[in-house]
């Protein structure tokens, strides 16, 4: 269990702590599975500890913690950008031994071990170090980043796709992460695998009940009904359908035709352990921020990585299973202007995820 630490009323007046608190707020705006926000932060002068919060998370689609660690990686990406741009100091990130080994333990036991200590510790240097233009642009995109579930009405274009990939690949630890721009055949194949995975879930009552529990919650987590997006009228494009459930109480979403040639990229890591999942989340978040900064929209099609068979087939389709494991499939594009700025998903109050240690 984590240490018992309370929040002293005067601590936030310590020099520089306002920057750390603001950076933690940046971290809480990261993408996470079903907006479950599986993170906590312990702050002390010049230091932020990032902890796993396993009190409430999707279990059916994520029994081993792949999504949880990617979500924590996304928060770590935002946190690092927030400290760099707000405090204008260098930062170093140290990972716990359980993550550094790259090992994973099937089921909940390994996650419980990780949750018993900080997953990462970010330390702030003393000497001034202004952020560069790329860091500033990514940080500026933090509050407006959204996950798009709407069809694209205009392509991003090959040049911009490659520029976004290059920005995401500049993340710390990026040599172990590949972001692959998919050709038409690869894109069609991975979309078919995603569709197969999505439809496979429809027969799983536990999955249907779990999805239903994450829509329109009142506790600062979950996905608002207004952000769910439509179904593809052609049946080719299988985004996560949050309208399914066991109660039958939620009306079916509208149908719209999605783009014929979606612009897809895949996030692939050399290994397939905790460290790889964390690094994939860092790269994914930076890709989403880069897209937002460039005026593009980005969505995540994660169903195919939720089964070992889907990951294996995805690797075979990309032509070289020995190169690593596909961790995420990402769609880029420009949504209809009416849907460019959906309401932000809820967030838990920062005070609920921060404790102070002095």
């Amino acid at each position: 269990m984590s240490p018992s630490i309370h929040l002293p009323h005067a601590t936030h007046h310590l020099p520089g702590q306002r920057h750390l608190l603001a950076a933690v707020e940046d971290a809480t705006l990261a993408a996470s599975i079903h907006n479950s926000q599986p993170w906590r932060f312990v702050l002390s002068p010049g230091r932020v500890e990032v902890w796993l919060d396993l009190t409430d998370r999707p279990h059916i689609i994520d029994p081993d913690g792949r999504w949880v660690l990617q979500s924590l990686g996304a928060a770590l990406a935002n946190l690092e950008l927030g400290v760099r741009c707000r405090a204008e100091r260098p930062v170093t990130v140290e990972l716990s031994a359980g993550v550094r080994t790259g090992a994973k333990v099937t089921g909940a036991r390994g996650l419980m071990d990780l949750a018993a200590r900080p997953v990462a510790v970010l330390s702030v240097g003393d000497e001034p170090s202004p952020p560069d233009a790329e860091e500033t642009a990514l940080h500026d995109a933090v509050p407006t980043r959204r996950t798009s579930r709407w069809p694209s009405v205009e392509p991003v274009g090959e040049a911009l796709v490659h520029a976004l990939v290059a920005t995401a690949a500049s993340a710390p630890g990026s040599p172990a992460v590949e972001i692959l721009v998919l050709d038409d055949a690869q894109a069609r194949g991975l979309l078919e695998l995603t569709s197969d995975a999505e439809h496979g879930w429809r027969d799983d009552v536990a999955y249907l009940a779990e999805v239903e529990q994450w829509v329109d919650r009142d506790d600062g987590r979950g996905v608002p009904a207004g952000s769910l997006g439509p179904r593809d009228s052609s049946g080719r494009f299988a985004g996560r359908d949050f309208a399914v459930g066991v109660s039958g109480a939620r009306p079916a979403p509208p149908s719209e035709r999605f783009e014929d040639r979606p612009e897809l990229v895949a996030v692939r890591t050399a290994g397939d352990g905790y460290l790889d999942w964390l690094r994939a989340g860092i790269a994914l978040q930076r890709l989403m921020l880069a897209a937002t900064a460039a005026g593009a929209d980005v969505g995540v099609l994660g169903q195919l990585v939720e089964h070992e068979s889907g990951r294996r087939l995805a690797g075979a389709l990309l032509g070289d299973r020995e190169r690593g494991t596909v961790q995420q499939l990402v769609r880029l594009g420009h949504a209809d202007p009416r849907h460019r700025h959906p309401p932000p998903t809820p967030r838990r109050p920062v005070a609920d995820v921060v404790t102070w240690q002095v």
Side-chain angles (χ1 to χ4, degrees):
M1 296 180 61
S2 63
S4 177
I5 306 170
H6 65 282
L7 177 62
H9 294 294
T11 309
H12 66 281
H13 296 299
L14 290 172
Q17 292 300 87
R18 68 184 186 278
H19 296 307
L20 295 186
L21 187 58
V24 166
E25 187 167 6
D26 292 331
T28 67
L29 298 179
S32 63
I33 177 62
H34 293 3
N35 190 30
S36 55
Q37 304 164 49
W39 45 61
R40 295 186 302 106
F41 306 90
V42 176
L43 275 65
S44 56
R47 173 185 169 101
V48 182
E49 296 178 356
V50 183
W51 291 70
L52 270 175
D53 179 0
L54 300 177
T55 57
D56 195 5
R57 68 179 184 89
H59 291 269
I60 302 301
I61 64 171
D62 191 32
D64 298 332
R66 181 182 307 272
W67 272 110
V68 165
L69 267 295
Q70 289 188 20
S71 301
L72 211 66
L76 190 57
N78 274 15
L79 178 66
E80 185 167 18
L81 288 167
V83 174
R84 287 284 297 122
C85 293
R86 294 181 183 279
E88 296 191 349
R89 293 290 188 273
V91 300
T92 57
V93 177
E94 181 180 357
L95 304 178
S96 71
V99 177
R100 287 199 306 271
T101 61
K104 69 175 178 181
V105 179
T106 301
R109 182 167 65 87
L111 287 183
M112 294 300 294
D113 289 343
L114 286 184
R117 59 189 62 81
V119 170
V121 177
L122 184 147
S123 300
V124 186
D126 295 328
E127 297 299 321
S129 176
D132 61 29
E134 181 178 279
E135 291 171 319
T136 300
L138 294 177
H139 181 249
D140 288 346
V142 165
T144 55
R145 181 212 60 82
R146 302 285 186 271
T147 300
S148 175
R149 300 182 178 91
W150 294 85
S152 175
V153 297
E154 181 182 352
V156 169
E158 183 178 357
L160 182 54
V161 170
H162 284 279
L164 298 178
V165 166
T167 298
S170 66
S174 59
V177 181
E178 288 183 283
I179 302 181
L180 310 173
V181 180
L182 305 181
D183 61 32
D184 287 349
Q186 292 171 329
R188 285 195 302 270
L190 291 185
L191 280 180
E192 289 175 5
L193 291 177
T194 301
S195 181
D196 290 344
E198 172 66 20
H199 286 93
W201 279 128
R202 305 291 176 84
D203 297 324
D204 189 317
V205 175
Y207 168 81
L208 298 177
E210 181 173 83
V211 167
E212 196 170 48
Q213 293 170 1
W214 286 94
V215 178
D216 275 347
R217 292 172 58 134
D218 59 3
D219 62 351
R221 307 193 208 215
V223 183
S227 298
L228 300 186
R231 290 172 177 165
D232 179 20
S233 58
S234 73
R236 297 179 308 100
F237 183 87
R240 174 107 49 200
D241 191 345
F242 284 93
V244 298
V246 292
S247 69
R250 193 170 305 283
S255 293
E256 294 194 19
R257 185 174 181 84
F258 278 64
E259 60 269 29
D260 292 327
R261 298 177 62 186
E263 296 171 292
L264 300 180
V265 300
V267 179
R268 183 167 68 178
T269 57
D272 193 32
Y274 292 146
L275 179 60
D276 305 290
W277 301 349
L278 191 73
R279 283 174 168 168
I282 292 172
L284 175 63
Q285 182 69 14
R286 286 178 68 97
L287 178 65
M288 298 178 85
L289 293 176
T292 300
D297 297 287
V298 59
V300 179
L301 300 171
Q303 300 99 312
L304 73 85
V305 305
E306 291 165 1
H307 295 284
E308 194 279 332
S309 59
R311 297 189 296 273
R312 185 180 65 253
L313 291 170
L317 191 147
L318 293 180
D320 190 355
R321 284 182 291 177
E322 302 304 316
R323 291 290 299 276
T325 301
V326 175
Q327 301 292 349
Q328 280 303 341
L329 181 61
V330 180
R331 181 174 65 101
L332 300 166
H334 291 288
D336 187 302
R338 294 173 299 170
H339 308 306
R340 289 300 309 281
H341 302 289
T345 51
R347 289 296 188 272
R348 291 185 287 167
V350 173
D352 289 356
V353 299
V354 170
T355 50
W356 296 81
Q357 189 174 53
V358 294

